[in-house]
């Protein structure tokens, strides 16, 4: 496992550094991984911010074609997450798998300069999301394994806040490049590639990669989940696929993965939300790339306090409350009142949704999945959610093409309401705040 405070002598109590150390109250590795995610998200969100407009307005893709590509963009990583999570647990080297994922995504950015057909774009986006799928579970496992169970929400909140800082800076950078460059889209893709390489360099140089005993990351006196009673990660045999799949026999994991998938089936992708908001509010194309910035600002401000709130009042409760905020945003888009506040309200609710779900969902696994299978457990839940969102992108794009954007959004809102009601019943607390 990972010792993130390498200055502490062997056998020294780790309670004091946790109390008076870093201001956010998290392990140093969380901040380093947050820095890597910040840089990488600047690169990724530069592309994400311009991609919907580039495909629909410049290349003339239909909503169905865009929905297909958007589904590929969000769905391919789901299938790869299982592989990345299992391999990270099997070889006991989370940093290696995460580095391969970040590196593959960095290689794909300059390829966007060379392709324009739907097939070629789909291939490049699939490779980029393959990199994301490889890195997500190992990265989140490093965060989880370096953090006490009671502080998982805060740790993931800090990481997601730093990650979202990149998501905030990426669209802003894209906006400035499009305003200044003659061939704006090519310039965005080129700068994005350079920034992605910088993120890989920071990961390689500053993220600790040595393996430690699993008990070193434990809080003294804290009971660990079943399956962590081995003397140490380095002494354990390689994790087999059968052991990873056996996690599905855990009732709480099945419930969490099932609800994440159910809610993901009616969660409209960010790109469609921004396209709908642009049409409903009459926002000019030159301002389109700034819409993700609104979501990112709210996410950044709320990620840490909402994560800490989830540690106190219950992660399932906060997770479901985030979907209630998203449903309210859908209602506002359907109503579309003639007010200048509409974009701000919708983007604020969108940011609340991410603050209450993106880091809270992996934090909820801390007391469910054994340490030596943590990456696999994270991958199972993440895959169920991502595959569901992939299906939603395809269905929403098709519904928009056939029925129009209003009926498509109304169907998604009604579906989300029903799925949230089911998830509330399945995830209702049973005597445990976590």
């Amino acid at each position: 496992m990972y010792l993130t405070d390498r200055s502490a002598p062997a056998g020294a109590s780790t309670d004091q550094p946790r109390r008076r150390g870093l201001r956010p109250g998290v392990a140093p590795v969380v901040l380093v991984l947050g820095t890597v995610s910040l840089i990488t998200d600047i690169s990724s969100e530069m592309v994400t911010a311009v991609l919907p407009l580039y495909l629909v307005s410049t290349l003339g893709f239909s909503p169905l074609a865009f929905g297909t590509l958007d589904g590929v963009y969000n769905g391919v990583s789901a299938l790869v997450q299982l592989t990345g999570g299992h391999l990270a647990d099997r070889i006991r080297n989370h940093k290696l798998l995460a580095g391969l994922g970040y590196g593959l995504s960095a290689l794909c950015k300059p390829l966007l300069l060379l392709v324009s057909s739907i097939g070629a774009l789909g291939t490049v986006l699939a490779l980029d999301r393959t990199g994301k799928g490889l890195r997500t579970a190992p990265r989140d496992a490093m965060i989880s394994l370096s953090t006490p169970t009671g502080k998982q929400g805060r740790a993931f909140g800090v990481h997601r806040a730093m990650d979202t800082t990149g998501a905030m800076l990426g669209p802003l950078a894209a906006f400035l490049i499009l305003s200044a460059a003659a061939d704006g889209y090519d310039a965005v893709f080129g700068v994005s590639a350079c920034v992605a390489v910088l993120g890989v360099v920071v990961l390689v140089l500053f993220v600790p990669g040595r393996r430690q005993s699993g008990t070193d990351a434990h809080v003294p006196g804290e009971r660990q989940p079943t399956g962590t009673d081995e003397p140490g990660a380095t002494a354990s045999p390689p994790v087999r696929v059968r052991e990873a799949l056996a996690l599905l026999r855990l009732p709480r994991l099945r419930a969490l993965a099932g609800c994440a998938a159910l809610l993901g089936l009616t969660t409209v992708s960010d790109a469609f939300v921004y396209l709908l908001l642009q049409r409903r509010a009459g926002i000019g194309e030159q301002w389109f790339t700034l819409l993700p910035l609104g979501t990112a600002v709210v996410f950044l401000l709320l990620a840490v306090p909402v994560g800490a709130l989830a540690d106190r009042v219950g992660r399932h409760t906060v997770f479901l409350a985030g979907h209630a905020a998203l449903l309210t945003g859908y209602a506002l888009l359907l109503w579309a009142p003639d007010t200048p506040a509409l974009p701000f309200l919708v983007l604020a609710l969108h940011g609340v949704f991410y603050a209450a779900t993106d880091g809270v969902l992996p934090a909820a696994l801390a007391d469910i999945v054994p340490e030596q299978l943590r990456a696999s457990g994270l991958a199972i839940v993440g895959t169920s959610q991502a595959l569901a969102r992939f299906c939603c992108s395809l269905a929403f794009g098709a519904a928009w093409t056939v029925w129009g954007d209003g009926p498509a959004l109304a169907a998604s809102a009604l579906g989300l309401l029903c799925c949230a009601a089911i998830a509330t019943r399945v995830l209702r607390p049973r005597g445990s705040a976590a």
Side-chain angles (χ1 to χ4, degrees), residues 13 47 52 90 110 119 129 169 174 196 216 239 248 257 322 334 350 367 369-370 397:
S13 174
V47 174
R90 183 175 180 82
R129 294 298 90 181
L169 295 175
D216 291 338
V239 174
L248 293 172
L334 287 169
H350 204 223
D367 62 341
V369 182

Side-chain angles (χ1 to χ4, degrees), residues 163-243:
D163 181 88
T164 305
T165 301
M168 184 174 62
L169 295 175
L172 183 59
F175 172 76
L176 295 175
I177 292 172
L178 287 176
S179 301
D183 295 324
Y185 291 115
D186 287 349
V188 168
F189 297 150
V191 173
S192 172
C194 296
V195 176
V197 171
L198 177 61
V200 177
V201 171
V202 173
L203 175 79
V204 171
L205 295 181
F206 297 106
V207 174
R210 58 197 179 106
R211 295 170 290 180
Q212 302 291 340
S213 170
T215 56
D216 291 338
H218 295 171
V219 179
E222 185 172 0
R223 186 179 182 274
Q224 298 300 315
T226 304
T228 59
D229 56 346
E230 297 179 4
T234 54
S236 303
V239 174
R240 294 172 293 180
V241 175
R242 183 172 57 187
E243 295 174 87

Side-chain angles (χ1 to χ4, degrees), residues 42-111:
I42 292 176
S43 169
S44 298
E45 294 302 323
M46 286 175 65
V47 174
T48 302
V50 303
L51 202 58
L53 209 58
Y54 175 66
L55 296 178
V56 175
S57 299
T58 303
L59 298 184
F61 283 21
S62 69
L64 177 57
F66 173 70
T68 302
L69 281 179
D70 189 64
V72 169
Y73 194 72
N74 292 290
V76 168
S77 63
L79 299 175
V80 183
Q81 268 192 68
L82 290 173
T83 302
H86 173 68
L87 288 177
D89 286 336
R90 183 175 180 82
I91 66 176
R92 309 289 188 194
N93 195 331
H94 298 87
K95 177 182 175 179
L96 175 61
L97 264 295
L100 289 174
Y102 281 111
L104 181 58
S105 293
L107 288 174
C108 290
K109 296 299 188 297
L111 296 180

Side-chain angles (χ1 to χ4, degrees), residues 288-303:
F288 182 83
T289 57
L290 294 183
L291 294 181
L293 184 62
T295 298
V297 169
V298 178
F299 189 2
L300 172 64
L301 294 175
L302 296 182

